[in-house]
Amino acid sequence: MPLLPYVPRKLAPLVPAERGGVKIIAVTVVFTALATTAVILRFVAAKLQRRALHMHDFLIMASWVFMAGYSSCAITGVMIGGSGSHLSRILTNPQFGKLTIVAGLKNFFATTFLWACATCLCKLSVLSLYKQLFPQRHFRHKIYVMMSVVAALWVGMVLTGLFICWPIGLNWDKSLEGHCGSTVAEEIAFPVVSLVVDGLVVALPAPIIWSLKLPAKKKFGISCLFGLGFM
């Protein structure tokens, strides 16, 4: 049986970034650098203190890996998917057109899962740290409940992102036969729910902190420290 000739797949061309695209890249680079610095300092501090690494260290490292992937997709979305550019410019330019739109939609599809993994692993890391800092039995029960909530949110985001359009290729190829749910509702609902869960995680140790025999200013400072660390 003769071999079929290899036909190389055409790649999407590079899209010169407009002002919106430049902002996306700038914000992504700055916050990725800040997050990377924080993770590095975390492990440097652990080494200086000669302490063993704990589960929350590994969880935050895993979160950083997915965050780096998300950041890479955000930058790639600008470079080959036209993110931050006017849609009319992409559609009317014969150099870009459908190939660029498809590349951008595929990139966006990937970021759904990377964002879900990065945010939920970060939440689990904080909860794991709480479990180490606060050994009270009744508080650990609350931690396990919140871990279950985060795990449910994680599964929900992944499954919704995967099956909101069927077949999956319909996410970037609208010529396929199939159906899609409300992607707008998905993009609003999950970030809002995630933000609410963030607030619950930050507030979780507040009753213990404010029950300590310390001046109110110190209690407030410790509470802010936990909130800042989560951010």
Side-chain angles (χ1 to χ4, degrees), residues 57-70:
D57 295 310
F58 295 111
L59 287 171
I60 202 65
M61 187 63 195
S63 174
W64 178 86
V65 170
F66 285 105
M67 182 275 300
Y70 178 88

Side-chain angles (χ1 to χ4, degrees), residues 24-67:
I24 292 174
I25 293 176
V27 171
T28 300
V29 169
V30 169
F31 280 94
T32 301
L34 290 174
T36 302
T37 302
V39 172
I40 291 173
L41 291 176
R42 181 192 190 109
F43 286 93
V44 169
K47 185 175 182 180
L48 292 176
Q49 295 172 0
R50 297 181 179 179
R51 70 166 178 85
L53 296 180
H54 299 283
M55 180 57 68
H56 54 82
D57 295 310
F58 295 111
L59 287 171
I60 202 65
M61 187 63 195
S63 174
W64 178 86
V65 170
F66 285 105
M67 182 275 300

Side-chain angles (χ1 to χ4, degrees), residues 70 107-117 157 160-162 186:
Y70 178 88
N107 193 78
F108 181 77
F109 180 73
T111 60
T112 301
F113 305 100
L114 294 169
W115 178 79
C117 292
M157 287 192 290
T160 302
L162 190 61
E186 176 203 12

Side-chain angles (χ1 to χ4, degrees), residues 7-212:
V7 180
R9 180 175 293 182
K10 190 176 181 181
L11 299 177
L14 292 177
V15 180
E18 293 186 351
R19 186 175 180 180
V22 173
K23 288 182 179 179
I24 292 174
I25 293 176
V27 171
T28 300
V29 169
V30 169
F31 280 94
T32 301
L34 290 174
T36 302
T37 302
V39 172
I40 291 173
L41 291 176
R42 181 192 190 109
F43 286 93
V44 169
K47 185 175 182 180
L48 292 176
Q49 295 172 0
R50 297 181 179 179
R51 70 166 178 85
L53 296 180
H54 299 283
M55 180 57 68
H56 54 82
D57 295 310
F58 295 111
L59 287 171
I60 202 65
M61 187 63 195
S63 174
W64 178 86
V65 170
F66 285 105
M67 182 275 300
Y70 178 88
S71 300
S72 299
C73 282
I75 295 174
T76 304
V78 174
M79 297 177 64
I80 66 171
S83 297
S85 300
H86 291 285
L87 184 60
S88 58
R89 176 197 173 208
I90 302 297
L91 293 176
T92 57
N93 193 324
Q95 183 183 357
F96 307 134
K98 183 179 178 181
L99 198 62
T100 298
I101 298 297
V102 169
L105 291 175
K106 285 183 176 180
N107 193 78
F108 181 77
F109 180 73
T111 60
T112 301
F113 305 100
L114 294 169
W115 178 79
C117 292
T119 55
C120 290
L121 283 168
C122 182
K123 293 176 178 62
L124 291 174
S125 174
V126 174
L127 291 170
S128 179
L129 176 62
Y130 287 171
K131 193 171 70 169
Q132 180 184 345
L133 294 178
F134 306 106
Q136 295 88 338
R137 187 175 179 181
H138 71 280
F139 186 71
R140 287 200 168 194
H141 291 162
K142 295 179 182 179
I143 292 174
Y144 292 136
V145 170
M146 283 305 305
M147 284 182 168
S148 300
V149 171
V150 173
L153 175 64
W154 191 357
V155 172
M157 287 192 290
V158 170
L159 292 181
T160 302
L162 190 61
F163 296 113
I164 195 167
C165 287
W166 191 259
I168 293 176
L170 192 59
N171 284 281
W172 54 83
D173 188 354
K174 302 305 178 183
S175 64
L176 297 175
E177 292 185 4
H179 65 277
C180 284
S182 177
T183 54
V184 175
E186 176 203 12
E187 293 169 12
I188 295 175
F190 281 123
V192 171
V193 173
S194 180
L195 187 61
V196 171
V197 174
D198 287 346
L200 293 175
V201 171
V202 172
L204 196 61
I208 294 179
I209 294 173
W210 285 88
S211 67
L212 297 174

